[in-house]
Amino acid sequence: MTTEPAPLPSDDDINPAMIRADLLAGLVFIVLGVAIFYGAWTMDRLEVRRIHPLTVPGLVPGILSAALTLCGAILSLRSLRAPAEQGWQTLGQALFSGAAGRAMAVMALALIYTLGLVGTLPFWAATAIFVFCFIMVFECWLATPRRPLMPSLFWALGLSITVSAIVTLVFQRAFLVRLP
Amino acid sequence: MLDGLSMLGNGLVHFLTPLSLFNIAWATLLGIIIGALPGLTATMGVALLVTLTYKMAPDQAILCLMCLYSGAIYGGSRTAILLSIPGTPASAATTLDGHPLALQGKAGMAMGLATTSSTLGTLVGIVALALIAPLLAEAALRFGTYEFFWLALFGVIISGQLTAIDDPLKGYIAGILGLLVAMVGMETLHAHQRFTFGIPALGGGIDLIPAMVGAFGFAEILGVMKRSAQARIVSAGDRVVPPLSEVFRYKWTTLRSGIIGTFVGIVPGVGEDVGAWASYAAAKRTSKEKHLFGKGSQEGLIAAETGNSAVVPGAMIPTLTLALPGSASAAVLIAAMFIHGIRPGPLLMTENPEFLYQIVAILFFSTIAILVFGLTLTKPLLTVLSVPRERLMAVVYVLCVVGSFAITQRMFDVYVMLGFGIVGFILREMKYPMAPLVLGIILGDLLDLNLRRGLMLTNGDPSPFFTRPISAVICLIIVVTILMSIPAVNRRVRALFTRKRGGVEAQG
């Protein structure tokens, strides 16, 4: 135990990268809004059932998509007008930083487990492999400083067996959930 | 009045059984642990526990979920004080004074004060819930389709405005995205399939629980694992039980924060973090010790903890009476209530009046459990905090997968969880709040159905939406809220008021 906490990076400040990211997000929202508006406009209007034109199924999605397009346009314009020196470079650096790498590693492990292992292997085996790999990757490879191999190996093995056994037993036997 | 007291008594007696007391104990303790662990939020905990309560009796299931909810909101204060990392977003304001107190060697005292403040805050909220909810439910019976349309829109707008105070535009965008998600699947007025792209699994729409587990669970895992450093714990060697004189020294701060927290809870979709910040700001404005705020002020800590805990019962007021969730966690509770055959909304007081008082009783018991655990288990809880996140998050992701799958036992829901997790993480990184998104998913159907039903009733004439008194008032509030979020309008209105006040002062 210590009296000094390790400093954590603060990400509360609006930085040039965020301004550029807002511009990209605004453009995405405009495209999304227009696409949904097209979908709402071309949606079946149920004329055969003689419903009032103001109660068609596409009415609310149409209004919402228009609102999203408007918000996206405001976001884009606001970002274009805001000063963002070296914004693209900072955004690029953020996208290829260590933090982004760690998030990508979690996504990759999660996708391999969910889309690849679950359903292919028995659930307990898939879970044990995932937990083991997750702990090893983040303790022995992506940690700063890296933890010693043997204790991590011991913990990863123990925890993967325990978690897969408990989760399988609790959900399959106690809650009668047919696991994938 | 007497009926209410009698039902409250029945509610308290109803849960005085060994099974209920056992459920209260483990669910509250689990909630405290979940809240204390950075990366696990109250909403995530409730969403994951829903899947474990399917086989329980409805009253016991809701009991466990409510206890976990209130326990988690309190539990966040542990990490806020010891690590300067809020265990849940609700405890963000607690870090400002809680951690400086811990650094001064008063960690035990800070945790004790946080415990007593949380208890008192919840009690203020409980009184409001018992008094206001029946009245609101009665008033809500007069609401028609036009009022419910505005109410749904009001929930999303106000949530977007208040959860993204620095940039309401992002709050609105999150709300609109949530409403658009709710448009997927079969609409309820003409039973027409929308945006299903021929995928049969989309016919029933996007389920709330997998979406929430993704947005609050998987996205949180990504956010936590993104960081390279894990903060270390400050020791808590001093006394944990605070002297009564310290607890009651700031009685007016406690009462004011409790009332503020309760009213923030009543506003749909705003949640505990806003309750804590609003109470903290009010305490700082009126304090005689302003200079201590942010440097280890006991008053600041008390205000933040009372405020966030009072939101929990406050949030149950619109949840139970209008089926409009007062917070993101309350949104999951609505889904859980529907799963267990309980229909929250204006008819609750007619169909199942005892249920409201059972909720009051549950909150009362969970408060007692929080007080007991909070004052006695401080040191064992510290060992929980030393679990490395690498080991914890692997287990949490497995629970996210199983939790999403267990509801309907189809892999599609797991893919929904994955999708919402990744999109939610990207949105959170870009400072988009998640509460309006979730509220949009919940209120989308209410908004869509009531707008088109209203237009159908009037054969396309929209005037009742603006001329009926309650509709007109809610509409006006929405317009003013949106206008005030536009910086140019906001500046001019503020300047106008300042000039007027200046003029009056000059005349005086």
Side-chain angles (χ1 to χ4, degrees):
Chain A
M1 300 248 172
T2 172
T3 49
E4 282 186 28
L8 284 172
S10 165
D11 51 3
D12 286 343
D13 310 321
I14 294 175
N15 53 39
M18 185 62 80
I19 293 169
R20 291 295 171 234
D22 280 350
L23 175 62
L24 288 179
L27 295 174
V28 170
F29 292 137
I30 291 172
V31 173
L32 189 67
V34 170
I36 297 171
F37 188 82
Y38 174 77
W41 186 259
T42 53
M43 201 177 279
D44 195 348
R45 296 188 189 172
L46 308 172
E47 288 100 338
V48 192
R49 285 156 68 178
R50 293 185 183 173
I51 65 162
H52 194 280
L54 278 178
T55 69
V56 293
L59 177 80
V60 176
I63 296 170
L64 291 173
S65 60
L68 183 66
T69 311
L70 178 69
C71 289
I74 295 170
L75 192 66
S76 303
L77 285 175
R78 199 182 65 177
S79 310
L80 278 174
R81 285 169 57 186
E85 261 182 64
Q86 295 185 317
W88 292 115
Q89 277 149 297
T90 326
L91 182 62
Q93 281 163 6
L95 288 176
F96 294 100
S97 63
R102 277 187 294 276
M104 290 300 285
V106 178
M107 276 187 217
L109 284 166
L111 289 173
I112 292 168
Y113 169 58
T114 317
L115 305 178
L117 298 179
V118 173
T120 312
L121 295 175
F123 185 78
W124 61 266
T127 301
I129 293 171
F130 169 74
V131 174
F132 178 81
C133 293
F134 194 99
I135 295 172
M136 290 307 289
V137 165
F138 281 98
E139 286 198 1
C140 298
W141 182 34
L142 294 175
T144 39
R146 289 178 186 176
R147 293 216 176 101
L149 183 68
M150 284 319 282
S152 290
L153 198 64
F154 168 76
W155 272 104
L157 261 177
L159 208 60
S160 60
I161 293 167
T162 315
V163 170
S164 64
I166 291 177
V167 170
T168 309
L169 284 175
V170 166
F171 280 88
Q172 207 147 286
R173 304 274 175 215
F175 299 116
L176 303 175
V177 173
R178 188 181 47 80
L179 290 171
Chain B
M1 182 77 174
L2 282 176
D3 276 356
L5 278 176
S6 143
M7 280 189 275
L8 179 60
N10 289 340
L12 289 168
V13 172
H14 179 82
F15 291 113
L16 275 175
T17 62
L19 175 70
S20 301
L21 294 175
F22 172 70
N23 284 336
I24 289 165
W26 73 257
T28 309
L29 187 60
L30 183 65
I32 295 174
I33 293 170
I34 284 176
L37 291 168
L40 303 187
T41 60
T43 314
M44 181 190 192
V46 177
L48 288 177
L49 191 67
V50 169
T51 57
L52 294 174
T53 61
Y54 291 148
K55 304 281 172 189
M56 287 183 176
D59 61 333
Q60 295 300 318
I62 302 298
L63 170 91
C64 293
L65 295 169
M66 287 294 308
C67 287
L68 183 128
Y69 175 23
S70 49
I73 294 302
Y74 158 74
S77 66
R78 312 280 93 176
T79 19
I81 292 166
L82 295 169
L83 302 174
S84 189
I85 300 173
T88 60
S91 307
T94 309
T95 54
L96 296 185
D97 290 300
H99 191 62
L101 278 170
L103 291 177
Q104 292 163 22
K106 296 178 189 166
M109 165 72 97
M111 287 198 281
L113 280 176
T115 307
T116 48
S117 311
S118 291
T119 307
L120 294 171
T122 315
L123 287 177
V124 172
I126 286 173
V127 173
L129 173 62
L131 293 177
I132 299 173
L135 300 175
L136 189 61
E138 208 176 298
L141 283 173
R142 283 185 227 125
F143 284 22
T145 190
Y146 312 100
E147 286 77 18
F148 272 107
F149 162 73
W150 286 118
L151 219 50
L153 191 63
F154 171 74
V156 177
I157 296 281
I158 205 82
S159 173
Q161 164 91 317
L162 292 180
T163 52
I165 294 169
D166 294 337
D167 195 354
L169 183 64
K170 291 188 175 179
Y172 298 154
I173 290 174
I176 294 169
L177 289 174
L179 288 169
L180 282 167
V181 170
M183 297 299 117
V184 177
M186 189 183 285
E187 51 94 17
T188 31
L189 199 64
H190 305 303
H192 185 265
Q193 302 252 349
R194 293 186 296 206
F195 303 118
T196 54
F197 309 106
I199 302 167
L202 280 176
I206 304 281
D207 268 356
L208 178 68
I209 300 283
M212 288 194 72
V213 169
F216 287 96
F218 185 35
E220 196 77 49
I221 295 172
L222 289 165
V224 169
M225 294 310 296
K226 189 191 85 168
R227 291 191 218 118
S228 61
Q230 184 168 17
R232 285 166 290 169
I233 304 166
V234 174
S235 64
D238 61 325
R239 64 176 288 178
V240 175
V241 182
L244 274 178
S245 58
E246 284 298 316
V247 177
F248 288 102
R249 194 170 142 204
Y250 299 107
K251 53 185 179 293
W252 297 117
T253 306
T254 306
L255 186 66
R256 187 181 48 240
S257 304
I259 293 169
I260 291 173
T262 306
F263 277 96
V264 169
I266 294 173
V267 179
V270 177
E272 298 80 13
D273 38 351
V274 176
W277 284 115
S279 303
Y280 186 84
K284 191 176 178 181
R285 222 173 11 247
T286 53
S287 176
K288 288 173 190 160
E289 303 164 339
K290 280 192 189 74
H291 60 284
L292 286 178
F293 275 68
K295 294 170 194 155
S297 158
Q298 290 186 13
E299 192 178 2
L301 173 72
I302 287 169
E305 275 303 302
T306 312
N308 68 22
S309 294
V311 171
V312 177
M316 296 313 293
I317 295 172
T319 304
L320 294 171
T321 55
L322 301 168
L324 283 176
S327 66
S329 307
V332 195
L333 278 168
I334 285 191
M337 285 176 197
F338 277 115
I339 288 169
H340 287 287
I342 299 156
R343 276 202 314 154
L347 291 175
L348 183 85
M349 286 306 284
T350 321
E351 290 173 350
N352 194 1
E354 301 86 16
F355 183 68
L356 173 77
Y357 294 98
Q358 284 184 1
I359 294 284
V360 174
I362 290 170
L363 283 166
F364 178 74
F365 284 122
S366 75
T367 308
I368 304 285
I370 284 172
L371 188 65
V372 173
F373 289 138
L375 295 180
T376 55
L377 294 182
T378 299
K379 292 198 171 117
L381 280 171
L382 287 183
T383 54
V384 174
L385 293 182
S386 58
V387 177
R389 62 197 177 131
E390 291 80 13
R391 294 171 198 167
L392 186 71
M393 291 302 152
V395 182
V396 173
Y397 183 71
V398 172
L399 291 177
C400 287
V401 171
V402 183
S404 310
F405 180 80
I407 304 161
T408 49
Q409 307 201 6
R410 54 179 192 166
M411 278 306 283
F412 177 76
D413 286 332
V414 181
Y415 305 145
V416 168
M417 182 275 292
L418 262 178
F420 269 82
I422 293 171
V423 174
F425 169 69
I426 295 168
L427 288 175
R428 280 155 73 137
E429 287 298 298
M430 293 167 69
K431 311 284 179 214
Y432 289 84
M434 286 293 106
L437 182 102
V438 171
L439 208 67
I441 301 175
I442 293 170
L443 299 180
D445 193 44
L446 193 75
L447 183 139
D448 175 48
L449 181 69
N450 284 297
L451 174 65
R452 292 188 298 134
R453 189 191 275 159
L455 289 169
M456 195 162 76
L457 289 172
T458 57
N459 206 18
D461 175 17
S463 58
F465 283 99
F466 306 100
T467 52
R468 286 166 62 106
I470 300 173
S471 287
V473 170
I474 308 174
C475 174
L476 191 71
I477 296 172
I478 292 171
V479 172
V480 171
T481 307
I482 295 174
L483 285 177
M484 287 303 283
S485 69
I486 301 170
V489 177
N490 194 319
R491 267 196 306 271
R492 276 183 199 166
V493 172
R494 276 170 190 270
L496 197 72
F497 276 102
T498 318
R499 211 177 302 148
K500 267 191 180 173
R501 206 183 308 147
V504 170
E505 275 167 15
Q507 276 175 5

